[in-house]
Amino acid sequence: MLRRSAAVSAAALLCLAGAVGTAEAGSTSLYAPSAVVLSVGKGDASGPITVLRATTLGCAPVPGGTHPAPEAACAELKAGFAGGGFGGLLASPDPDRACPQHFDPVTVTLDGVWEGARTSWQHTFSNACVMGATLNGGEAFAF
């Protein structure tokens, strides 16, 4: 009887340990994913946009992807995300930077999942110089 009781207790402890291990693994893997594709292209929203370059960026659970500086880009996207969009990435153009006044539109896009929700954002600049001045050397679109 004692042997049977010990076997049942050992089996119960193993089941409990397995359940606790599963619960711990599940709790550390629950997160709101953030993974996007960033692109820079020629053209504007009124016509076709020719993608010049693109990269992937995963920010949650850990920074990664093909972006050359994923940690810095993720920090910039987190800081620039407000009100369901990424308009916070746009700053007042650097006043010390002079750009030509020619129209050669460049569009940046961000598509994917941010904090667990589907997102799509784009912004068109009049030319590449204005894009650089408005993004103020940010890391997100520096690839």
Side-chain angles (χ1 to χ4, degrees):
M1 178 76 169
L2 184 59
R3 193 178 281 171
R4 185 175 195 207
S5 175
V8 170
S9 295
L13 284 174
L14 285 174
C15 288
L16 182 59
V20 169
T22 303
E24 287 176 359
S27 65
T28 59
S29 66
L30 294 177
Y31 60 88
S34 292
V36 296
V37 174
L38 303 167
S39 66
V40 177
K42 284 283 205 183
D44 61 15
S46 66
I49 297 172
T50 303
V51 175
L52 300 174
R53 58 189 188 270
T55 190
T56 60
L57 178 65
C59 293
V62 294
T66 60
H67 195 285
E71 293 86 6
C74 288
E76 184 178 340
L77 291 181
K78 286 176 187 173
F81 182 74
F86 291 90
L89 296 175
L90 307 173
S92 297
D94 182 356
D96 296 328
R97 186 166 177 185
C99 288
Q101 298 297 311
H102 71 278
F103 187 70
D104 187 15
V106 177
T107 300
V108 295
T109 61
L110 180 149
D111 287 302
V113 175
W114 189 257
E115 297 178 350
R118 174 79 177 96
T119 190
S120 182
W121 178 81
Q122 75 176 20
H123 187 81
T124 300
F125 302 93
S126 60
N127 58 52
C129 180
V130 173
M131 178 185 81
T134 305
L135 294 176
N136 282 326
E139 291 292 330
F141 291 96
F143 53 87

